[in-house]
Amino acid sequence: MSIYHQRLQQFRTFLRERLAAQGFIIPRADVYQNEYVVPADERLNWLTGFTGSAGYAVILPEAAALFIDGRYTLQAKQEVDSALYQVFQIPEFDLKIFFERSFQSGDKICFDPWLMTKNDVERWTKVLENFNAEFVPASENPIDVLWHDRPHRPLDAIFSYSEIYAGLSVHNKLDLIIEKLQQFGADVFVCNAPESICWLFNIRGKDFPFSPLIDCFALIYRSSKSEIFIDTRKLTPEIKAALEPYVTFREYGSFSEHLQNIKDIKVLLDPTRAPFWAMMHLDKTSVIWAPDPCLSIKAIKNSTEISGMRLAHVKDGVAVTKFLAWLEQALANNEVLDELSLVARLETFREEQDQYQGPSFSTIAGVAENGAIVHYRPTPESNKKIQGDCLILLDSGGQYLDGTTDITRVIPVGIPTEEQRDRFTRVLKGHIAIATTPFPKGTTGSQLDVLARRPLWQAGLDYDHGTGHGVGCFLSVHEGPQRIGKSPSTVALIPGMILSNEPGYYLEGQYGIRIENLVLVQPTNEPTYQERPMFCFETLTMAPINTRLIVTEMLTAPERQWLNDYHAQVRETLLPHLDTETAAWLIEATEEI
Amino acid sequence: MSIYHQRLQQFRTFLRERLAAQGFIIPRADVYQNEYVVPADERLNWLTGFTGSAGYAVILPEAAALFIDGRYTLQAKQEVDSALYQVFQIPEFDLKIFFERSFQSGDKICFDPWLMTKNDVERWTKVLENFNAEFVPASENPIDVLWHDRPHRPLDAIFSYSEIYAGLSVHNKLDLIIEKLQQFGADVFVCNAPESICWLFNIRGKDFPFSPLIDCFALIYRSSKSEIFIDTRKLTPEIKAALEPYVTFREYGSFSEHLQNIKDIKVLLDPTRAPFWAMMHLDKTSVIWAPDPCLSIKAIKNSTEISGMRLAHVKDGVAVTKFLAWLEQALANNEVLDELSLVARLETFREEQDQYQGPSFSTIAGVAENGAIVHYRPTPESNKKIQGDCLILLDSGGQYLDGTTDITRVIPVGIPTEEQRDRFTRVLKGHIAIATTPFPKGTTGSQLDVLARRPLWQAGLDYDHGTGHGVGCFLSVHEGPQRIGKSPSTVALIPGMILSNEPGYYLEGQYGIRIENLVLVQPTNEPTYQERPMFCFETLTMAPINTRLIVTEMLTAPERQWLNDYHAQVRETLLPHLDTETAAWLIEATEEI
């Protein structure tokens, strides 16, 4: 019996005997609702084997299912035992069908109230009501009991993030947040968002993979010192001294007790983020539901952060360009290369750069058909050699003290097919449409999304992921509230926001294409725009786009102009930082088309 | 003292003395939440003088305000006495600012629960909570008491709508609706949507302006005969006989009593439509909130309706083309023309067409600066002569037994300016983008909207209205749930849906431009679209677009091709139905560019 089979059996026994329930829903989320979780919180992975960054499992007595989104369709098939779990893609698959098949009327379905938000619980309650099933917070999470060799929570020291990079003092940031709390009529904000805490207090940590975040909670009061709940062994005397005027540090484990003891004051909870547990243990009339007040301020980068992001992108562009030049030479020399060696080599180029702290996410180096797995991550088992004609999709990013990067390039090995060049050119046209279209104040990312897809739609093609996500400044590489995507958004794009621009195309079993630059929302200075305040995107990422994959005749004159202008800017920006050999390569790679 | 001043004084006295309230909110809506209301329901107009189709007034002891949207900014300024009402444009103006200025904490603000929906009331309650004001259903509507010379409700006979046009029998439609009721677990649907009742029972009436709807309510039961509440003097023996198996007719005035008597069964209410009054008088546990089950079925036209809509568009195209040819000749002959004479002349051409029943809305004939008033309607006072060089914006539509039309064309008088031609060409490019872009199954109208605006955005321009609305088949010219617009929509476009495609541009005080055709959602038969089920729009409207307004060099080759193909199709379709003179004009008007 496989380990996952054993765990599922134990889980079901626990469900029956200890919770007297018929089902349990296990999200991938941790108590922070973050993309990256510490190893001790990899509950969905422990139970099912699935390593994707989003999804949930539903365990019933006779059936079990894993629900994932389009990014993870192929990956889930590879990772999860289909004898144990049916795997469904949401939203293509209607949840109701699974429940209709598998539910008994009157079932009691449990969840861990620390791992779901009010919005999650309301959504699930509504779905389950259709089947007369109750959705009930569990007194304990079976996985937390059954997982015996569970890793410890991280213990690395936290460090302060200098105002030289942050641009604003803790004092100034707290003023902004307190003003927001006043607007909402709240006395305290229950913050379970490590990126908000790190941003607000100008601190960073090494607890999570890829994002310099800290494993902590905070209570941010309107008229007294904030409280941060953290393993206090991680504090240094410097941090304590620097934050002394603003923060009382308390032990991580005492958070729930302190939360329960909040009485007679108004408490702000973010319905998309706060654990349902908080709502269960607070007086309902004291709760004010409103978005995390840090979110909208953090999303709009200040001028110091913008300068830092620009600098980080120059350094990252140097690293990526050196890598691309090296790769072309290595391929010409018939060196034996595979996905993992590409990842390692790229990392060495980034490590040469000042203030580099590590990758901002697990590098996606997808050779040939592996490139079609949208959130692929090469492992020793999946690691593919570069052989014959193929495309390499390389999506990577760096954390620099001055900013965070995220870039995708496609490299053709040998001769790309006509179809690949057609698809690449369509993706490029979509990328350019996003990069160049000005938009009036008030426009949201969901309004712009179609511009990226239209050249693909014109050939009956599309891609199953968003077009752009927000990016933090030496914080999470994925941050809200802004995004570009199909699903409706009411968040207007505002100058200072940074997003990715990353349309793609994927042919299962064959190849993947994605072109990704980060862009900064800017007011336009076009003098002819007199009627409306207009904004546009400025591209921050600096690295050549492979022109061997472009069908030039498919580009309009302005599109060709954009590419040539972009390449001229890349050349001008990077050349001073490159060795002679790489410089020569870049000049050739960015020749006008 | 003006009549509106007197009415406002009486209203305030009533508010103070009879309702003991500090405020009242008067929507333009009637009990049906329809765009067109019968004269007896023109409450907002009676009180304020505003004739627009959307808006609301807020009456407070010391202040009064009219809130309208961008379509009515100019019109409201002309119609409403600014000494009595402050006029604000929503959403540009933040409601809160008005309330902050004018409210007292603890105010009691009333509304008529027949004229607001659950969603309306929830929205207002939330807004008013911020000011500690209570939102309370009023026991009587002051206007209903104060309006002494109020018109009677209409009394025209209703008529049956033949299956030849409707395509489905009442029996078949009821089967579909009953299936929906079963899905929702509802026993009865409280229907206050005349267009749903007319559609479901294949009947029409003459009670409302422009839409062939009937002033009635219905209770549609899952397992017994439906009840229609109507002034029974309007029934004919034929209607009674035809609907006898399905419907019991009851007196209009007994609706509220029957509604209150519903007990022990599950009641479906549409939260966007049902009067709040219904919810107040039903047992809360018996209510199921769900969309009107007729909506989604009615929106997807059956093949008979589609054929009818096509036929109607040929006839309408003939009428419009004859009008355009006549107008060009009349202008050449220096005939004295004004907006009202254009409206009258166009109507005579439509009246020549078979099955024509009347205009589908009040024709917008806006000469020069009047064209910039988006929902302008010429009146004897505003009526403008055609003089010198100017643009005429003509937006009109017809109700034919076989279908409903809606078309906008712009006619240049004399020499259009370079700016006007630039703007017209940008609007045309947007129109063509909507007309030609295929989109995958699941796409909503809000996703497509930007395609219509992009060519304007590229010059820092935009327009303050939606890009497209649903259109009924011999029903309302504006119908949901599908639409194309900036605000987020979750309604996917499905083959059989009909929408308008009408981008525009308006320069206040100078001119207006809009190009509007109706389009039908179709599956594409493009053989190269193998990866995804793709849909596209087929243009139904058949009338030439003025080429003197086009800057040909601004069009791409495919855009020029679309225009030439469209004009070739218009020619081919209409020529057999035209007199020699009009035919000659059309051939010239549709020459290739």
Side-chain angles (χ1 to χ4, degrees):
Chain A
M1 192 187 293
S2 79
I3 190 157
Y4 295 112
H5 194 168
Q6 280 173 33
R7 288 172 183 172
L8 183 57
Q9 279 198 340
Q10 290 169 359
F11 192 101
R12 282 185 170 134
T13 307
F14 190 99
L15 199 59
R16 198 171 56 239
E17 297 180 356
R18 297 273 288 271
L19 298 177
Q22 284 71 48
F24 206 101
I25 294 176
I26 303 115
R28 196 267 177 172
D30 63 5
V31 68
Y32 305 122
Q33 301 293 326
N34 247 340
E35 178 176 3
Y36 300 112
V37 305
V38 303
D41 286 338
E42 288 278 14
R43 294 180 182 87
L44 186 63
N45 171 238
W46 179 83
L47 185 65
T48 68
F50 176 64
T51 63
S53 71
Y56 49 86
V58 179
I59 313 297
L60 299 174
E62 304 293 334
L66 178 70
F67 296 88
I68 46 94
D69 63 56
R71 297 174 300 178
Y72 292 116
T73 316
L74 300 180
Q75 180 176 330
K77 276 187 206 165
Q78 293 173 357
E79 294 178 341
V80 174
D81 182 350
S82 61
L84 302 176
Y85 294 93
Q86 302 171 62
V87 176
F88 299 111
Q89 185 180 328
I90 295 293
E92 280 66 27
F93 178 82
D94 188 352
L95 261 179
K96 287 186 183 168
I97 300 174
F98 172 73
F99 289 121
E100 248 161 33
R101 282 195 213 131
S102 313
F103 259 34
Q104 308 284 335
S105 184
D107 273 2
K108 174 179 154 190
I109 309 299
C110 284
F111 64 98
D112 181 339
W114 279 103
L115 306 185
M116 290 209 184
T117 66
K118 173 174 173 263
N119 283 7
D120 292 336
V121 173
E122 284 176 354
R123 204 167 41 243
W124 278 108
T125 303
K126 226 175 206 170
V127 171
L128 298 179
E129 262 173 10
N130 292 308
F131 306 93
N132 280 317
E134 244 190 317
F135 197 47
V136 183
S139 51
E140 44 189 357
N141 187 325
I143 296 174
D144 296 355
V145 178
L146 299 169
W147 190 353
H148 297 301
D149 54 347
R150 190 170 177 181
H152 292 289
R153 299 199 79 81
L155 252 179
D156 283 295
I158 70 174
F159 54 100
S160 70
Y161 187 56
S162 167
E163 217 180 301
I164 295 175
Y165 301 119
L168 271 178
S169 68
V170 175
H171 193 90
N172 288 337
K173 288 181 179 178
L174 270 170
D175 279 350
L176 295 171
I177 297 305
I178 286 167
E179 197 185 312
K180 287 245 171 195
L181 291 180
Q182 272 162 346
Q183 279 168 20
F184 288 126
D187 299 299
V188 60
F189 165 48
V190 176
C191 187
N192 65 321
E195 72 277 22
S196 291
I197 301 171
C198 288
W199 170 82
L200 178 56
F201 295 106
N202 288 345
I203 47 178
R204 299 291 190 270
K206 295 177 175 173
D207 296 342
F208 294 86
F210 309 115
S211 299
L213 303 179
I214 303 168
D215 187 30
C216 68
F217 298 99
L219 295 175
I220 297 156
Y221 293 91
R222 188 165 75 173
S223 27
S224 56
K225 272 196 194 184
S226 297
E227 296 173 309
I228 294 182
F229 298 83
I230 188 168
D231 189 322
T232 52
R233 289 174 289 177
K234 291 151 78 168
L235 299 174
T236 62
E238 294 73 33
I239 292 276
K240 280 193 216 174
L243 290 180
E244 205 286 322
Y246 313 110
V247 176
T248 308
F249 288 99
R250 304 202 183 280
E251 281 305 330
Y252 189 79
S254 70
F255 176 63
S256 57
E257 188 194 321
H258 276 83
L259 190 56
Q260 274 177 288
N261 286 339
I262 292 177
K263 292 272 182 313
D264 304 323
I265 59 172
K266 294 283 182 187
V267 184
L268 191 155
L269 296 181
D270 184 331
T272 67
R273 194 75 187 246
F276 189 76
W277 192 93
M279 172 185 168
M280 287 165 62
H281 291 84
L282 287 168
D283 175 13
K284 262 156 208 60
T285 62
S286 72
V287 173
I288 292 167
W289 294 105
D292 176 345
C294 303
L295 267 192
S296 57
I297 305 173
K298 175 163 66 69
I300 300 166
K301 272 65 186 169
N302 62 48
S303 57
T304 307
E305 289 172 317
I306 291 173
S307 306
M309 287 293 269
R310 277 195 227 281
L311 275 177
H313 277 87
V314 175
K315 293 184 283 189
D316 207 58
V318 169
V320 170
T321 301
K322 284 183 170 177
F323 169 84
L324 291 172
W326 162 82
L327 176 59
E328 201 161 288
Q329 191 56 52
L331 290 169
N333 297 348
N334 289 316
E335 283 185 36
V336 178
L337 298 170
D338 57 28
E339 292 166 345
L340 287 175
S341 64
L342 298 187
V343 173
R345 200 71 176 88
L346 177 57
E347 182 63 10
T348 64
F349 286 114
R350 282 209 169 94
E351 279 166 356
E352 291 171 6
Q353 303 301 317
D354 289 343
Q355 288 112 343
Y356 181 66
Q357 305 292 305
S360 60
F361 58 95
S362 188
T363 296
I364 299 169
V367 170
E369 69 265 30
N370 284 348
I373 306 173
V374 174
H375 278 215
Y376 176 72
R377 187 168 55 98
T379 62
E381 296 75 44
S382 71
N383 189 20
K384 204 174 152 61
K385 276 219 178 71
I386 300 176
Q387 280 174 321
D389 292 353
C390 66
L391 299 187
I392 305 172
L393 184 151
L394 197 80
D395 186 352
S396 70
Q399 292 284 8
Y400 299 82
L401 282 180
D402 33 20
T404 302
T405 69
D406 187 356
I407 173 173
T408 310
R409 290 293 183 268
V410 178
I411 304 108
V413 181
I415 312 287
T417 66
E418 282 308 299
E419 183 195 271
Q420 287 168 341
R421 295 177 66 228
D422 173 272
R423 301 306 186 249
F424 185 87
T425 308
R426 289 178 189 278
V427 172
L428 178 63
K429 287 168 81 79
H431 180 93
I432 295 173
I434 295 287
T436 59
T437 300
F439 48 89
K441 186 181 163 182
T443 300
T444 69
S446 58
Q447 285 179 256
L448 298 178
D449 178 74
V450 67
L451 298 175
R453 298 180 194 272
R454 190 186 184 201
L456 288 161
W457 287 4
Q458 284 170 330
L461 313 170
D462 201 359
Y463 53 94
D464 288 324
H465 59 73
T467 299
H469 54 81
V471 178
C473 181
F474 191 47
L475 280 174
S476 299
V477 74
H478 299 136
E479 77 167 25
Q482 76 277 23
R483 59 182 171 75
I484 304 172
K486 283 185 178 186
S487 58
S489 164
T490 55
V491 177
L493 299 175
I494 297 175
M497 286 179 169
I498 291 174
L499 300 104
S500 67
N501 168 11
E502 50 175 317
Y505 171 76
Y506 310 91
L507 190 58
E508 191 178 332
Q510 299 200 40
Y511 60 88
I513 288 166
R514 185 159 66 249
I515 304 173
E516 178 185 26
N517 285 342
L518 297 196
V519 293
L520 165 69
V521 182
Q522 289 275 39
T524 54
N525 47 12
E526 185 71 53
T528 55
Y529 295 169
Q530 291 155 4
E531 291 199 3
R532 314 246 170 173
M534 302 290 293
F535 303 151
C536 65
F537 290 127
E538 173 196 331
T539 294
L540 298 178
T541 304
M542 291 292 140
I545 294 169
N546 197 295
T547 52
R548 286 205 296 130
L549 283 164
I550 300 172
V551 183
T552 311
E553 313 80 65
M554 285 172 65
L555 297 183
T556 63
E559 285 166 349
R560 208 148 72 214
Q561 188 65 48
W562 180 87
L563 188 81
N564 289 331
D565 289 350
Y566 176 66
H567 274 162
Q569 195 194 354
V570 169
R571 225 168 29 229
E572 195 180 328
T573 309
L574 300 187
L575 279 185
H577 308 284
L578 298 179
D579 55 279
T580 330
E581 212 171 332
T582 310
W585 178 86
L586 180 62
I587 288 167
E588 207 184 305
T590 55
E591 256 176 21
E592 288 214 350
I593 63 162
Chain B
M1 192 188 291
S2 79
I3 190 156
Y4 295 112
H5 194 166
Q6 281 173 32
R7 288 173 184 171
L8 183 58
Q9 279 198 339
Q10 290 169 359
F11 192 101
R12 282 183 169 137
T13 307
F14 190 100
L15 200 59
R16 197 170 58 237
E17 296 180 356
R18 297 273 288 273
L19 298 176
Q22 284 70 48
F24 205 101
I25 294 176
I26 303 114
R28 196 269 178 170
D30 64 4
V31 68
Y32 306 121
Q33 301 293 328
N34 247 339
E35 178 177 2
Y36 300 112
V37 305
V38 304
D41 286 338
E42 288 278 13
R43 294 181 182 86
L44 186 63
N45 171 237
W46 179 84
L47 185 65
T48 68
F50 177 62
T51 63
S53 71
Y56 49 85
V58 179
I59 313 295
L60 299 174
E62 305 292 333
L66 178 70
F67 295 89
I68 45 95
D69 62 56
R71 297 174 300 177
Y72 291 116
T73 316
L74 300 179
Q75 180 176 329
K77 277 187 205 165
Q78 292 172 358
E79 293 178 340
V80 174
D81 182 350
S82 62
L84 302 176
Y85 294 93
Q86 303 171 61
V87 176
F88 298 111
Q89 185 180 328
I90 297 291
E92 280 65 27
F93 178 82
D94 188 352
L95 260 179
K96 287 187 184 168
I97 300 175
F98 172 73
F99 288 121
E100 250 162 30
R101 281 194 213 134
S102 313
F103 260 32
Q104 308 284 335
S105 184
D107 274 2
K108 174 178 153 190
I109 310 299
C110 285
F111 65 97
D112 182 338
W114 279 102
L115 306 185
M116 290 207 184
T117 66
K118 173 175 173 263
N119 282 6
D120 293 335
V121 174
E122 285 176 354
R123 203 166 43 242
W124 278 108
T125 303
K126 226 174 206 171
V127 171
L128 298 179
E129 263 172 9
N130 292 310
F131 307 94
N132 280 317
E134 243 190 318
F135 197 46
V136 183
S139 51
E140 44 189 357
N141 187 325
I143 296 174
D144 295 355
V145 179
L146 299 169
W147 190 352
H148 296 302
D149 55 347
R150 190 170 177 181
H152 292 287
R153 299 199 79 80
L155 253 179
D156 283 295
I158 70 173
F159 55 100
S160 70
Y161 188 56
S162 167
E163 218 180 299
I164 295 174
Y165 301 119
L168 272 178
S169 68
V170 175
H171 192 90
N172 288 337
K173 288 182 178 177
L174 271 170
D175 279 351
L176 295 171
I177 299 303
I178 286 165
E179 198 185 312
K180 287 247 172 194
L181 291 180
Q182 273 162 346
Q183 281 169 19
F184 289 125
D187 299 300
V188 60
F189 165 47
V190 176
C191 186
N192 64 321
E195 72 277 23
S196 290
I197 301 170
C198 288
W199 170 82
L200 178 56
F201 296 105
N202 288 345
I203 49 177
R204 299 291 189 272
K206 297 176 176 175
D207 295 342
F208 294 87
F210 309 115
S211 298
L213 303 179
I214 303 169
D215 187 29
C216 67
F217 298 98
L219 295 174
I220 296 156
Y221 293 90
R222 187 165 77 172
S223 28
S224 57
K225 272 196 195 183
S226 297
E227 296 173 308
I228 293 181
F229 298 84
I230 189 171
D231 189 322
T232 54
R233 289 174 289 177
K234 293 151 78 167
L235 299 173
T236 62
E238 294 73 34
I239 292 278
K240 282 192 216 176
L243 290 180
E244 205 286 323
Y246 314 110
V247 176
T248 307
F249 288 99
R250 304 205 183 278
E251 282 305 331
Y252 188 80
S254 70
F255 175 63
S256 57
E257 188 193 321
H258 276 83
L259 190 56
Q260 274 177 287
N261 287 338
I262 292 177
K263 293 271 181 318
D264 304 323
I265 59 172
K266 294 282 183 188
V267 184
L268 190 155
L269 296 181
D270 184 330
T272 68
R273 195 73 188 249
F276 189 77
W277 191 94
M279 171 185 168
M280 288 165 61
H281 291 85
L282 287 168
D283 175 13
K284 262 156 208 59
T285 63
S286 71
V287 173
I288 292 167
W289 294 105
D292 176 344
C294 303
L295 268 191
S296 57
I297 305 173
K298 176 163 67 69
I300 300 166
K301 273 65 186 170
N302 61 49
S303 58
T304 307
E305 289 171 319
I306 290 173
S307 307
M309 286 294 268
R310 277 195 227 280
L311 275 176
H313 277 86
V314 175
K315 293 184 283 189
D316 207 59
V318 169
V320 170
T321 301
K322 285 182 170 178
F323 169 83
L324 292 172
W326 163 83
L327 176 59
E328 200 160 291
Q329 192 55 53
L331 289 170
N333 297 347
N334 290 314
E335 282 185 39
V336 178
L337 299 171
D338 58 28
E339 292 167 346
L340 288 174
S341 65
L342 298 186
V343 174
R345 201 70 176 88
L346 177 57
E347 182 64 9
T348 65
F349 286 114
R350 281 210 170 94
E351 278 166 357
E352 289 170 8
Q353 303 301 317
D354 290 344
Q355 288 114 341
Y356 182 65
Q357 304 293 304
S360 59
F361 58 95
S362 189
T363 296
I364 298 168
V367 169
E369 68 265 31
N370 285 347
I373 306 174
V374 174
H375 277 216
Y376 176 72
R377 185 171 53 97
T379 62
E381 296 75 46
S382 72
N383 190 21
K384 202 173 154 63
K385 277 220 176 70
I386 301 176
Q387 280 174 321
D389 292 354
C390 66
L391 299 187
I392 305 171
L393 185 149
L394 197 79
D395 186 353
S396 69
Q399 290 285 7
Y400 300 81
L401 283 180
D402 32 21
T404 302
T405 68
D406 187 356
I407 173 174
T408 308
R409 290 293 183 269
V410 178
I411 305 108
V413 181
I415 312 289
T417 66
E418 281 309 299
E419 182 194 272
Q420 287 168 341
R421 295 176 68 226
D422 173 271
R423 302 306 186 249
F424 185 87
T425 308
R426 290 178 189 278
V427 172
L428 178 62
K429 287 167 82 80
H431 180 94
I432 295 172
I434 294 287
T436 58
T437 301
F439 48 90
K441 186 181 162 183
T443 300
T444 68
S446 58
Q447 285 179 255
L448 298 178
D449 179 74
V450 67
L451 299 174
R453 298 181 194 271
R454 190 189 185 200
L456 288 161
W457 288 3
Q458 284 170 330
L461 314 170
D462 201 359
Y463 52 94
D464 288 324
H465 59 73
T467 299
H469 54 82
V471 177
C473 182
F474 191 46
L475 279 174
S476 300
V477 74
H478 299 136
E479 76 167 25
Q482 75 276 25
R483 59 183 170 73
I484 304 173
K486 282 185 177 183
S487 57
S489 164
T490 55
V491 177
L493 299 175
I494 297 173
M497 286 180 170
I498 291 175
L499 299 105
S500 67
N501 168 11
E502 49 174 319
Y505 171 76
Y506 310 91
L507 190 58
E508 191 178 332
Q510 300 201 39
Y511 60 89
I513 289 166
R514 186 160 64 249
I515 304 173
E516 178 184 26
N517 285 342
L518 296 196
V519 293
L520 166 68
V521 183
Q522 290 274 41
T524 54
N525 48 12
E526 185 73 51
T528 55
Y529 295 170
Q530 291 156 3
E531 290 200 4
R532 313 248 170 170
M534 300 292 291
F535 302 150
C536 64
F537 290 127
E538 173 195 331
T539 295
L540 299 177
T541 303
M542 290 292 140
I545 293 168
N546 197 295
T547 52
R548 288 206 294 130
L549 284 164
I550 299 172
V551 183
T552 311
E553 313 80 65
M554 285 172 64
L555 298 183
T556 63
E559 285 166 348
R560 208 149 72 213
Q561 188 65 47
W562 179 87
L563 187 81
N564 289 332
D565 289 350
Y566 176 66
H567 274 161
Q569 196 195 354
V570 168
R571 225 167 32 227
E572 195 180 329
T573 309
L574 300 186
L575 279 185
H577 309 284
L578 297 178
D579 54 279
T580 331
E581 213 171 330
T582 309
W585 178 86
L586 180 62
I587 288 167
E588 209 184 302
T590 55
E591 257 176 18
E592 288 214 349
I593 62 162

